[in-house]
């Protein structure tokens, strides 16, 4: 149980285009989802926290107009990188939890984004 | 600023050795601490979660300890195997928001 999927697993896009990444909780309801970014040989950095039905809370230094997060249902959150640039190339990982039953976050397999 | 640091950054051991990975955090008011494993290019696998009220957790060959007063946690791996090779991350939650602050990671290589 407690499986989180991400789609796509990898994406290559041209500079200036927008990319949408999906995060789904497959067998549980996720009241809260987190989005992380990981640059090569670095650790994970939290970008934002989203609660179902509410606006996302962004960490300091993360542009909310560039990284649009939607968490409209208890099983799906999306991260849209708008007008992507090469410096946005990274590994994006989501995690999901049901705060009503516990504190464990379940992580997705990640999405590798390469912006040319 | 809350920071999480892991040492060593990399570790190579022969198969069968017992080993210890270290994690330190700057704020003792933690909510919980987790250890994760990350294989190259992949997501995270949760290994152990220790609540702030606990001192250790065990799962198979893994044992994690927590000392809040000194701001430290250790992950002990017994009888290491080549399949244990991965990056090990510790992550600390400093409040009920469940936001995790990740450490810098330890890259472990177990030589057959």
């Amino acid at each position: 149980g407690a499986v989180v999927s991400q789609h796509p697993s990898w994406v290559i896009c041209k500079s200036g285009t927008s990319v949408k990444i999906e995060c789904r909780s497959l067998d549980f309801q996720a009241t809260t989802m987190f989005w992380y970014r990981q640059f090569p040989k670095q650790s994970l950095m939290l970008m934002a926290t989203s609660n179902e039905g509410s606006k996302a809370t962004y960490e300091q230094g993360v542009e909310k107009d560039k990284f649009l997060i939607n968490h409209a249902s208890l099983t799906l959150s999306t991260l849209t990188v708008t007008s992507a640039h090469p410096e946005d190339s990274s590994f994006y990982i989501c995690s999901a939890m049901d705060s009503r039953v516990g504190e464990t976050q379940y992580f997705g397999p990640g999405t590798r984004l390469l912006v040319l | 600023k809350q920071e999480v640091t892991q040492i060593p950054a990399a570790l190579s051991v022969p198969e069968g050795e017992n080993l210890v990975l270290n994690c330190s955090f700057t704020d003792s008011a933690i909510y919980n601490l987790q250890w994760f494993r990350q294989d190259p290019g992949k997501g995270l696998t949760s290994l152990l979660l220790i609540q702030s009220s606990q001192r250790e957790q065990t799962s198979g060959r893994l044992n994690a300890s927590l000392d809040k007063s000194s701001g430290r946690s250790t992950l002990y791996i017994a009888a290491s195997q080549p399949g244990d090779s991965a990056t090990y991350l510790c992550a600390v939650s400093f409040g009920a928001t469940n936001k995790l602050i990740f450490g810098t990671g330890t890259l472990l290589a177990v030589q057959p």
Side-chain angles (χ1 to χ4, degrees):
Chain A
V3 178
V4 176
S5 70
Q6 283 186 240
H7 179 80
S9 56
W10 60 269
V11 58
I12 301 174
C13 69
K14 293 182 179 180
S15 184
T17 60
S18 294
V19 176
K20 179 184 284 188
I21 302 171
E22 294 184 348
C23 177
R24 293 182 184 271
S25 57
L26 299 184
D27 50 3
F28 68 101
Q29 293 184 327
T31 57
T32 307
M33 288 187 171
F34 302 86
W35 286 95
Y36 296 84
R37 181 167 52 182
Q38 185 178 33
F39 291 109
K41 298 188 178 182
Q42 295 186 26
S43 194
L44 280 74
M45 295 296 292
L46 179 64
M47 298 175 67
T49 303
S50 71
N51 293 298
E52 185 265 338
S54 302
K55 288 185 178 180
T57 302
Y58 291 81
E59 294 300 300
Q60 191 174 8
V62 178
E63 300 174 58
K64 63 179 181 180
D65 294 330
K66 180 170 185 61
F67 299 99
L68 303 179
I69 293 173
N70 182 282
H71 190 174
S73 79
L74 284 171
T75 59
L76 174 65
S77 176
T78 60
L79 167 67
T80 300
V81 183
T82 62
S83 187
H85 289 98
E87 58 265 30
D88 297 323
S89 299
S90 187
F91 193 51
Y92 292 87
I93 304 178
C94 72
S95 70
M97 62 177 286
D98 186 340
S99 60
R100 299 168 298 184
V101 299
E103 301 155 340
T104 301
Q105 293 183 34
Y106 300 95
F107 283 77
T111 295
R112 190 163 299 282
L113 171 64
L114 177 60
V115 184
L116 302 177
Chain B
K1 180 182 177 183
Q2 298 151 340
E3 293 184 353
V4 180
T5 306
Q6 291 182 244
I7 55 172
L11 181 64
S12 180
V13 299
E15 181 177 5
E17 269 202 11
N18 303 325
L19 58 99
V20 175
L21 307 181
N22 298 288
C23 174
S24 61
F25 42 93
T26 55
D27 188 343
S28 62
I30 71 169
Y31 196 68
N32 61 48
L33 182 147
Q34 294 186 64
W35 283 92
F36 294 89
R37 167 188 174 136
Q38 184 176 31
D39 291 289
K42 300 292 181 64
L44 275 66
T45 301
S46 179
L47 299 174
L48 291 163
L49 182 152
I50 309 178
Q51 298 289 354
S52 62
S53 58
Q54 299 174 319
R55 292 192 65 85
E56 67 176 341
Q57 282 284 348
T58 298
S59 176
R61 295 183 293 109
L62 306 179
N63 176 276
S65 68
L66 174 65
D67 184 343
K68 285 197 307 179
S69 61
S70 65
R72 293 179 183 178
S73 174
T74 61
L75 178 66
Y76 175 82
I77 302 177
S80 59
Q81 303 170 357
D84 295 331
S85 299
T87 295
Y88 290 80
L89 298 165
C90 74
V92 181
S93 173
F94 286 101
T97 61
N98 294 298
K99 288 167 44 173
L100 293 177
I101 296 179
F102 279 83
T104 46
T106 294
L107 176 61
L108 172 65
V110 181
Q111 308 299 332

